[in-house]
Amino acid sequence: MRLSRYFLPVLKETPKEAEIVSHQLMLRAGLIRQESSGIYAWLPLGLRVLKKVNQIIREEQDRTGALELLMPTIQSAELWRESGRYEAYGKEMLRIADRHDREMLFGPTNEEMVTSIFRTHAKSYRDLPLNLYHIQWKFRDEVRPRFGVMRSREFLMKDAYSFDLDKAAARHSYNKMFVSYLRTFARLGLKSIPMQADTGPIGGDLSHEFIILADTGESEVFCHKDYLDFTPPPITTNFDDVAGLQATVDRWTSLYAATSEKHDAAAYDAIATDKRVSARGIEVGHIFYFGTKYSDPMKAQVQGPDGKPVTVHMGSYGIGPSRVVAGIIEASHDKDGIVWPVTVAPFEAAVVNLKVGDPDTDKVCAEMVGKLEAAGIDVLYDDRDERAGAKFATMDLIGIPYQLIVGPKGVKSGEAEIKVRRGGDRRTRPLDTVADEVIVLVTQARKLA
RNA sequence: CGGGGUAUAGCUCAGCCUGGUAGAGCGCUUGCUUUGGGAGCAAGAAGUCGGGAGUUCGAAUCUCUCUGCCCCGACCA
């Protein structure tokens, strides 16, 4: 992608409405634009990041056997009356009427709809277990949206819903998502810690919030320090291994970790002083087992092996990709801008032409871009007629992980420079191998996830 | 929903108190000079001063009202 032809409205100054660093940087780097309180447009660069986050989530969901579908944003009030939540949800639900004055709503979540889909089409215990998920825009009319896309009214959510014959099977479905989330957040470059959490109005008795530590987080959290050094489950994880998954979940819940709502001061005080972490955190995922809370009133049943109807056990599992983007920035930035993990970077590498119009430099840059693109790398080519300083500043602000800097002096001496965004390391390399080295760096960084 | 603030060019803001017909920096356009960490000089484009009503010879400025946005609190899978 040539930057001179791209739409990248970066800002030198920080817009005054932005309080936290992720919001400031998302505006400055041209990722988003506010359209209304708690409602944002995703600009081209921001959308690239959002799509990469979605893709990682999707791959890890699919790995567990979950199936993607897509439910609508607009739902009928009828469905919500069945579960009793139409009244219970309160003013946070955006209620609308269509031309026939039928009561509709912009979905804040999809338990009712997915349950309705399930009960219509799944009739036998042989259809279980089943996990259906989608990545769709939600709307919750928050009293006070803030912090950009961190707490917005319209936001993207991956929500998965599991259906099982009994509690034991549901527990395994829960564990699949638990382990999947650990892998997902690790691939997104985040250190997530599963914490005991309130189940809230959604109900149920088994629930974990996945928290990343950040000073600007909205939740107060307490946990054992060792969690920060835990290794995420490997790609070879067998999601059908019931005992194996349970062992992983047990390990990740063996030490103390809780949000303030579930905080047990006595248990926390039992931790060695130097192992206590009392911090603020951002909730990036939340998983629930809630049994028959919806399947019961909505009569989601299948026929069991004995021919008798069984009400299915359900769980729901959410990740907010739009919030995750902000969370990644909170966890990974410096004074110059965003430091994207390669896995979610809008472009994995950039070629920076320091003298656009100089035939030799232009030619070398074109070769570099061609080599990187041929290797399947997302490349941003800065071919703008700007000064070097402005180009460096832009690349750092938008956080491109690997920057291949080509200037006329280097071209003459047969060299170019590689700059690594994280840490700022720079190295000069011969022109004939420099692109290959960037390819290796990007490829390795992808694998680390 | 309570409390507080704010609204002037794309962005950050000054001007308002004490009414006299619109400003700066950055960004944008053009030209020249520059060219390895957000360059310099010159010329230029750009604003219904959030909307409405009122006071006044005259309103960005004073009054009333509505709206948007932000902050604190309560709220929040």
Side-chain angles (χ1 to χ4, degrees):
Chain A
M1 177 60 65
R2 287 163 57 188
L3 187 48
S4 65
R5 307 286 300 275
Y6 203 58
F7 185 70
L8 184 64
V10 299
L11 304 172
K12 263 191 182 176
E13 287 171 286
T14 304
K16 63 177 172 181
E17 73 265 22
E19 289 277 308
I20 63 172
V21 68
S22 61
H23 190 196
Q24 294 171 347
L25 288 174
M26 288 184 82
L27 292 168
R28 286 195 53 212
L31 268 50
I32 55 171
R33 196 183 90 111
Q34 180 169 350
E35 294 301 332
S36 181
S37 178
I39 299 177
Y40 291 83
W42 288 76
L43 304 181
L45 198 74
L47 183 59
R48 287 184 79 97
V49 177
L50 191 59
K51 281 179 160 179
K52 291 204 174 184
V53 169
N54 287 345
Q55 187 54 29
I56 287 172
I57 293 171
R58 189 174 277 128
E59 286 170 14
E60 293 303 325
Q61 290 289 292
D62 292 351
R63 202 186 297 285
T64 69
L67 301 168
E68 186 174 10
L69 76 169
L70 185 58
M71 293 179 270
T73 55
I74 304 295
Q75 307 184 26
S76 156
E78 262 333 276
L79 210 46
W80 285 67
R81 289 213 169 85
E82 267 194 70
S83 70
R85 280 211 292 180
Y86 190 64
E87 280 71 30
Y89 219 96
K91 299 185 87 167
E92 203 172 298
M93 177 149 64
L94 179 65
R95 295 151 207 265
I96 49 186
D98 70 8
R99 65 195 299 162
H100 304 294
D101 269 336
R102 279 189 289 247
E103 294 173 276
M104 314 290 283
L105 58 99
F106 196 116
T109 177
N110 283 69
E111 278 85 2
E112 282 79 1
M113 186 174 286
V114 78
T115 303
S116 162
I117 290 171
F118 173 85
R119 72 181 172 190
T120 307
H121 302 291
K123 297 294 180 190
S124 160
Y125 73 95
R126 294 173 194 275
D127 296 323
L128 303 179
L130 183 67
N131 183 320
L132 299 173
Y133 78 95
H134 71 159
I135 300 175
Q136 177 63 289
W137 294 95
K138 304 291 189 289
F139 194 95
R140 292 181 193 173
D141 201 357
E142 296 275 353
V143 191
R144 191 181 158 208
R146 62 187 119 172
F147 304 144
V149 297
M150 192 73 85
R151 175 165 293 282
S152 52
R153 295 196 292 170
E154 187 180 72
F155 61 99
L156 195 58
M157 182 158 82
K158 185 287 298 182
D159 38 327
Y161 304 91
S162 65
F163 302 87
D164 285 283
L165 202 59
D166 54 32
K167 185 168 182 179
R171 174 73 205 223
H172 183 235
S173 291
Y174 183 91
N175 288 349
K176 282 184 186 174
M177 288 293 115
F178 188 107
V179 172
S180 169
Y181 276 28
L182 290 174
R183 280 192 47 76
T184 302
F185 294 124
R187 285 187 64 192
L188 292 168
L190 296 170
K191 275 188 191 297
S192 69
I193 303 168
M195 301 197 179
Q196 298 169 38
D198 245 353
T199 50
I202 208 158
D205 60 0
L206 183 55
S207 170
H208 286 91
E209 282 186 20
F210 287 73
I211 301 280
I212 59 170
L213 301 184
D215 295 338
T216 48
E218 288 192 274
S219 318
E220 191 180 6
V221 300
F222 305 87
C223 70
H224 195 290
K225 195 175 184 180
D226 286 357
Y227 274 127
L228 295 170
D229 299 318
F230 272 29
T231 307
I235 193 166
T236 52
T237 301
N238 177 0
F239 283 91
D240 293 325
D241 178 358
V242 175
L245 279 199
Q246 187 63 55
T248 301
V249 172
D250 287 346
R251 180 171 130 73
W252 279 86
T253 52
S254 59
L255 302 174
Y256 184 76
T259 59
S260 57
E261 294 84 18
K262 283 278 189 177
H263 185 48
D264 176 350
Y268 181 67
D269 291 341
I271 304 172
T273 316
D274 63 334
K275 292 289 189 183
R276 289 179 199 166
V277 176
S278 169
R280 300 200 67 82
I282 299 168
E283 176 192 347
V284 287
H286 201 154
I287 61 178
F288 300 87
Y289 161 72
F290 47 73
T292 59
K293 180 182 165 90
Y294 299 98
S295 50
D296 198 24
M298 295 186 68
K299 296 190 173 51
Q301 299 176 325
V302 295
Q303 240 180 344
D306 58 1
K308 291 180 179 162
V310 180
T311 301
V312 297
H313 287 243
M314 295 175 57
S316 80
Y317 316 89
I319 296 178
S322 45
R323 174 183 286 186
V324 161
V325 172
I328 292 169
I329 295 171
E330 287 293 330
S332 185
H333 66 271
D334 63 19
K335 65 173 173 48
D336 296 320
I338 301 167
V339 182
W340 291 117
V342 170
T343 49
V344 297
F347 294 96
E348 297 168 305
V351 172
V352 180
N353 185 334
L354 292 185
K355 194 164 177 81
V356 174
D358 176 69
D360 293 337
T361 311
D362 289 350
K363 181 163 169 285
V364 169
C365 284
E367 284 170 15
M368 297 296 166
V369 172
K371 277 189 189 175
L372 295 176
E373 284 180 342
I377 289 172
D378 288 333
V379 186
L380 183 61
Y381 174 31
D382 190 348
D383 61 339
R384 295 173 303 164
D385 185 17
E386 287 284 347
R387 298 171 64 81
K391 296 193 175 205
F392 296 144
T394 299
M395 287 301 153
D396 287 351
L397 174 62
I398 67 174
I400 307 303
Y402 299 99
Q403 302 166 20
L404 206 173
I405 298 161
V406 181
K409 292 174 201 162
V411 168
K412 276 201 179 60
S413 56
E415 291 173 335
E417 189 175 61
I418 296 172
K419 177 179 168 185
V420 181
R421 178 68 180 87
R422 189 182 300 278
D425 178 56
R426 298 192 210 182
R427 51 191 87 158
T428 302
R429 292 288 186 268
L431 286 180
D432 55 346
T433 63
V434 69
D436 293 326
E437 185 165 340
V438 171
I439 291 166
V440 169
L441 286 169
V442 170
T443 309
Q444 282 177 346
R446 283 177 182 165
K447 276 187 194 152
L448 290 178

